[in-house]
Amino acid sequence: MAANGLCTLCDAEILWARSTKTGKAMPLDPAPTDDGNLAVYKDHTGRINARALKAGEEPESYEKRGKAHFATCPKYAVHIAAKKQRQRDAAVRRTPPPTGPPPANVINLRTARRRRSGPN
């Protein structure tokens, strides 16, 4: 199948397919591989779909064996490590919620609404 995009991390050609399990887009290596764990096929609308193969399962006659680009991208592991580090850094920078009584200029809305509505 012909490539229909480029990886933003390594600039390799990729093939975008739809996961049959989640319905999300998934980048694949465009060339079929013997050691791939995905069955890739084109449906009647021309959409490229991919499904995971179980251990020992072979693709159907109309499917080709493929591999997710996540598994072969040389820069993906570095990208994920940096993303996790940014998440950890952001968690440290977050300020904890205030404790104790609210400042004098803050109104408790629940109490104010009760006073305004009056008895029923």
Side-chain angles (χ1 to χ4, degrees), residues 59-101:
E60 299 292 334
S61 60
Y62 57 90
E63 298 173 322
K64 294 182 180 174
R65 194 178 279 268
K67 189 179 273 191
H69 184 65
F70 300 126
T72 60
C73 181
K75 296 185 179 180
Y76 183 70
V78 175
H79 169 72
I80 291 299
K83 183 177 179 181
K84 287 183 179 178
Q85 184 61 47
R86 285 191 304 271
Q87 289 172 343
R88 284 192 294 270
D89 292 346
V92 169
R93 283 193 304 266
R94 287 190 197 113
T95 57
T99 58

Side-chain angles (χ1 to χ4, degrees), residues 10-120:
C10 68
D11 292 329
E13 290 187 342
I14 56 174
L15 180 69
W16 285 102
R18 180 90 31 209
S19 167
T20 57
K21 184 174 184 180
T22 64
K24 294 182 179 180
M26 168 190 325
L28 307 176
D29 288 339
T33 60
D34 294 334
D35 63 338
N37 63 340
L38 298 172
V40 183
Y41 64 96
K42 228 181 222 188
D43 64 12
H44 65 283
T45 65
R47 176 185 282 173
I48 300 168
N49 295 297
R51 65 177 183 88
L53 291 170
K54 296 177 182 148
E57 182 184 6
E58 290 298 317
E60 299 292 334
S61 60
Y62 57 90
E63 298 173 322
K64 294 182 180 174
R65 194 178 279 268
K67 189 179 273 191
H69 184 65
F70 300 126
T72 60
C73 181
K75 296 185 179 180
Y76 183 70
V78 175
H79 169 72
I80 291 299
K83 183 177 179 181
K84 287 183 179 178
Q85 184 61 47
R86 285 191 304 271
Q87 289 172 343
R88 284 192 294 270
D89 292 346
V92 169
R93 283 193 304 266
R94 287 190 197 113
T95 57
T99 58
N105 63 344
V106 175
I107 299 171
N108 182 337
L109 290 177
R110 194 172 283 161
T111 307
R113 286 184 185 130
R114 271 192 232 128
R115 279 190 215 136
R116 196 172 48 207
S117 67
N120 289 334

